[in-house]
Amino acid sequence: MLSPPSVSPALAHSRQWLEKAVIGLNLCPFAKAPHVKGQIRWVLSPASTPEALMAELVAELNFLAQANPDEVTCT
């Protein structure tokens, strides 16, 4: 389920972790640019089984493979 990070507490916490840990500690030098440009796709999974999660992961990877990189660079 695609949802803005501000709508879901889980996504809001994930965004905060990205900003403070990943970007703040420079753990990934590639994370800041797509974050600043709003090119990160935030998705909350309702999957409750490994199989359902795997299906969602495959669908998301397919989405990213077809996405315009000027709009979405990572998920």
Side-chain angles (χ1 to χ4, degrees), residues 4-48:
S6 60
V7 173
S8 163
L11 292 179
H13 284 104
S14 296
R15 183 182 184 126
Q16 185 178 42
W17 170 79
L18 174 78
E19 292 168 349
K20 290 186 177 184
V22 178
I23 294 172
L25 298 173
N26 200 29
L27 297 177
C28 177
F30 306 106
K32 186 174 182 178
H35 176 63
V36 170
K37 294 177 186 176
Q39 296 173 325
I40 297 176
R41 177 176 154 97
W42 296 92
V43 180
L44 182 61
S45 171
S48 60

Side-chain angles (χ1 to χ4, degrees), residues 1 41 43 45 51-67 75:
M1 160 179 33
R41 177 176 154 97
V43 180
S45 171
E51 296 78 16
L53 185 59
M54 182 60 75
E56 288 188 29
L57 176 61
V58 169
E60 195 61 28
L61 291 172
N62 286 327
F63 174 88
L64 287 173
Q66 297 174 25
T75 227

